[in-house]
């Protein structure tokens, strides 16, 4: 839990400041070519001067290419960790991941700071550090696997929900703090966020898996195929053994394909959130700041809802078994279907507010699905399957963001009010597909 909270606090503090610094550097490069008189003697430039279409297009292009450039190394690293996750200590996996993230942030910050020396396109190399630890793809999967191995299975769903509430609340508070510190100095939240991220490393040394909770998982042994004890094997033997186990687990991985299909369809459906701010601003003529306040209110409601979500959705107890977690998954998808459809049909601010509230009741999907998976796995398979799920989530998110972005671009150029709802209704169809697939889960 502490690892998740510290990581969320770090990203919440530094995220907005880093984006503003990047926008400032892109803006400065643009006006150096157009009108350098707008640049102050200290190389600063008024923020409102950076809101023009040309600057924002350059910023969007820089970020888009950077995202694509980071995806391939992260996917490659995730596939490697998928093979070795059974024989490597999860704390070591997480240590490599956090180290790679620290190096990534340091490189990103260095390029921004040395704007007079380094071309901003060097930021595209930033994703190479994902080779070291797999980025967010591996981080989320490994942390969830560590929690699944440490928390009794009947409490896992509730613990995931409490953890999500704590992370969301931490992100909100740290974002407010970051915005306040930005008024003093843009580099202040960036530095503080970097220091907080390094605290994850000593926290890993205090993490211990509760052996009693491990007895809940069936286990067929951890002896490598060569017959040696785990302590006697070399790295080469360990990797060979891991590959053999991964190959032998093909049947069990195939049984997870339906879970992965449900996750894939749901993530594509949930991709409407990637355009929600722009969509609401365009649809209702609101400023981005006004949209931000509305979404912030939704995030506060989510924090309050998560700890009591099972009770609100009609469960008689907070501690859900595998069947209860599966029902949570199905009910969450129903709320996502209703919420996304209502957003597409929203006529005024009251309806959009109700729609966002309905969508919030669907936030238990991922936690319930991971709990269902963990309850049916051997302990040695948890990390492997969770990494697979994280890869599926990443690919689905990338595809969904691309599709909804294209649909938004198509609908935004037309004045037809019903066409504006097209991206949301396509996402609703994907939620319906996820609901149909979830009915086949056992």
């Amino acid at each position: 839990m502490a690892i998740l909270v510290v990581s969320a606090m770090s990203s919440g503090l530094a995220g907005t400041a880093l984006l503003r610094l990047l926008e400032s550097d892109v803006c400065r490069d643009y006006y150096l070519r157009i009108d350098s008189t707008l640049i102050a003697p200290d190389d600063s430039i008024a923020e409102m001067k950076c809101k023009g279409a040309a600057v924002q297009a350059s910023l969007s292009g820089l970020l888009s290419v950077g995202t694509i450039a980071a995806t391939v190394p992260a996917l490659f690293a995730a596939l490697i960790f998928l093979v070795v996750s059974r024989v490597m200590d999860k704390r070591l996996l997480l240590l490599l991941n956090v180290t790679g993230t620290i190096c990534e942030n340091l490189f990103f910050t260095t390029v921004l700071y040395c704007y007079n020396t380094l071309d901003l396109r060097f930021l595209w190399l930033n994703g190479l550090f994902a080779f070291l630890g797999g980025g967010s793809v591996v981080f989320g999967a490994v942390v969830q696997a560590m929690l699944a191995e440490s928390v009794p299975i009947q409490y896992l769903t509730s613990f995931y929900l409490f953890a999500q509430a704590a992370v969301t609340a931490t992100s909100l508070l740290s974002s407010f703090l970051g915005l306040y510190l930005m008024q003093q100095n843009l580099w202040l939240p960036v530095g503080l966020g970097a220091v907080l991220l390094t605290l994850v490393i000593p926290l890993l040394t205090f993490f211990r898996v509760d052996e009693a909770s491990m007895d809940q998982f069936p286990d067929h042994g951890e002896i490598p195929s060569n017959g040696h004890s785990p302590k006697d094997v070399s790295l080469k033997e360990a990797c060979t053994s891991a590959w053999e186990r991964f190959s032998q687990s093909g049947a069990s991985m195939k049984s997870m394909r339906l879970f992965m299909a449900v996750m894939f369809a749901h993530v594509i459906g949930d991709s409407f959130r990637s355009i929600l701010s722009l969509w609401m601003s365009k649809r209702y003529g609101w400023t981005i700041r006004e949209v931000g306040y509305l979404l912030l209110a939704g995030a506060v409601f989510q924090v309050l809802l998560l700890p009591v979500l099972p009770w609100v959705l009609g469960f008689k107890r907070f501690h859900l078994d595998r069947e209860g977690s599966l029902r949570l998954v199905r009910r969450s998808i129903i709320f996502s279907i209703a919420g996304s459809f209502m957003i597409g049909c929203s006529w005024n601010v009251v309806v959009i507010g109700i729609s966002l509230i309905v969508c919030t009741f669907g936030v238990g999907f991922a936690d319930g699905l991971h709990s269902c998976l963990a309850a049916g796995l051997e302990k040695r398979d948890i990390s492997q399957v969770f990494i697979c799920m994280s890869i599926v989530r990443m690919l689905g998110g990338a595809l969904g963001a691309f599709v909804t972005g294209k649909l938004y671009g198509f609908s935004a150029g037309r004045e037809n009010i019903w066409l504006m709802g097209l991206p949301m209704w396509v996402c609703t169809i994907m939620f319906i597909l996820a609901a149909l697939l979830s009915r086949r889960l056992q």
Side-chain angles (χ1 to χ4, degrees):
M1 175 72 82
I3 294 172
L4 289 171
V5 169
V6 171
S7 177
M9 187 178 298
S10 172
S11 59
L13 275 171
T16 304
L18 285 173
L19 183 61
R20 174 65 192 113
L21 287 167
L22 178 59
E23 181 186 59
S24 178
D25 287 351
V26 171
C27 187
R28 189 183 297 107
D29 285 350
Y30 173 77
Y31 283 108
L32 277 174
R33 300 190 303 269
I34 304 301
D35 186 2
S36 60
T37 60
L38 296 175
I39 302 175
D42 61 352
D43 275 353
S44 64
I45 188 167
E47 182 175 354
M48 294 310 298
K49 296 291 185 183
C50 302
K51 303 303 180 182
V55 174
Q56 292 299 310
S58 298
L59 177 62
S60 176
L62 191 67
L63 291 172
S64 298
V65 174
T67 300
I68 296 172
T71 299
V72 176
L75 181 59
F76 183 78
L79 292 174
I80 293 177
F81 287 132
L82 184 63
V83 176
V84 303
S85 59
R86 286 187 174 183
V87 293
M88 284 187 70
D89 189 335
K90 294 176 184 59
R91 288 177 296 178
L92 178 58
L93 287 176
L94 206 55
L95 178 62
L96 290 173
N97 182 275
V98 173
T99 302
T101 303
I102 291 173
C103 294
E104 184 178 344
N105 290 347
L106 182 61
F107 181 82
F108 193 94
T109 304
T110 301
V111 173
L112 293 182
Y113 186 78
C114 302
Y115 58 86
N116 285 326
T117 306
L118 300 176
D119 193 300
L120 289 178
R121 285 174 292 186
F122 274 100
L123 292 175
W124 295 341
L125 301 176
N126 197 44
L128 295 177
F129 290 102
F131 276 119
L132 184 58
S136 60
V137 178
V138 173
F139 180 82
V142 173
V143 170
Q144 285 186 315
M146 293 170 74
L147 291 175
E149 294 178 357
S150 304
V151 179
I153 200 67
Q154 66 270 25
Y155 303 118
L156 187 57
T157 299
S158 298
F159 191 87
Y160 276 157
L161 293 174
F162 275 102
Q164 187 182 164
V167 168
T168 305
T170 302
S171 297
L172 286 173
L173 293 175
S174 59
S175 295
F176 276 123
L177 179 58
L179 290 171
Y180 172 76
L181 294 177
M182 283 174 60
Q183 299 176 2
Q184 317 302 319
N185 189 306
L186 280 175
W187 292 102
L188 190 56
V190 174
L192 186 56
V195 172
L196 283 174
L197 185 59
T198 60
L199 293 180
V200 174
I201 295 177
L203 284 175
L204 289 174
T205 63
F206 294 103
F207 187 87
R208 294 290 184 273
V209 174
D210 185 1
E211 295 297 332
S213 67
M214 298 296 284
D215 295 336
Q216 66 193 304
F217 300 102
D219 188 13
H220 301 308
E222 294 292 337
I223 303 300
S225 59
N226 58 13
H228 296 158
S229 66
K231 294 182 179 179
D232 296 333
V233 296
S234 64
L235 178 61
K236 180 179 179 180
E237 290 172 329
C239 292
T240 302
S241 175
W243 178 255
E244 289 175 356
R245 287 174 177 166
F246 177 66
S247 301
Q248 293 168 1
S249 64
S252 63
M253 294 300 291
K254 287 181 181 179
S255 67
M256 299 297 131
R257 288 187 299 186
L258 188 55
F259 281 90
M260 295 178 185
V262 174
M263 173 65 80
F264 189 74
H266 188 277
V267 169
I268 293 179
D270 208 41
S271 63
F272 76 87
R273 299 181 187 277
S274 66
I275 63 165
L276 188 57
S277 295
L278 295 174
W279 186 89
M280 291 169 63
S281 178
K282 172 71 176 178
R283 172 69 177 79
Y284 301 104
W286 299 336
T287 66
I288 295 294
R289 186 175 182 179
E290 290 171 337
V291 174
Y293 281 125
L294 183 59
L295 296 179
L296 181 61
V300 173
F301 176 71
Q302 179 177 326
V303 171
L304 299 175
L305 174 66
L306 280 167
V308 296
L309 184 62
W311 177 76
V312 173
L313 294 185
F315 293 94
K316 296 181 179 179
R317 56 180 182 173
F318 290 99
H319 308 312
L320 306 179
D321 55 12
R322 190 173 191 272
E323 184 61 30
S325 297
L326 189 55
R327 292 200 303 271
L328 175 63
V329 168
R330 291 167 178 163
R331 293 179 188 181
S332 297
I333 297 176
I334 296 301
F335 279 105
S336 296
I337 292 172
S340 59
F341 180 78
M342 290 172 64
I343 291 175
C345 297
S346 295
W347 298 282
N348 53 52
V349 65
V350 175
V351 178
I352 191 67
I354 296 174
S355 304
L356 293 175
I357 291 174
V358 172
C359 280
T360 305
F361 281 94
V363 295
F365 167 82
D367 294 332
L369 193 67
H370 281 91
S371 295
C372 289
L373 277 172
L377 294 172
E378 297 179 6
K379 64 180 181 182
R380 67 181 185 181
D381 291 330
I382 292 177
S383 295
Q384 194 175 73
V385 172
F386 276 23
I387 290 175
C388 279
M389 292 293 287
S390 190
I391 292 173
V392 168
R393 197 168 187 168
M394 179 190 69
L395 295 177
L399 176 60
F402 175 79
V403 172
T404 53
K406 290 295 185 180
L407 289 173
Y408 171 72
F410 170 79
S411 60
R414 291 157 177 79
E415 297 302 325
N416 189 312
I417 188 174
W418 294 107
L419 275 180
M420 282 296 296
L422 183 61
M424 307 304 168
W425 294 330
V426 170
C427 290
T428 301
I429 293 173
M430 296 307 301
F431 281 135
I432 294 174
L433 176 60
L436 295 174
L437 291 173
S438 70
R439 295 178 63 85
R440 300 178 57 189
L441 295 175
Q442 300 294 331

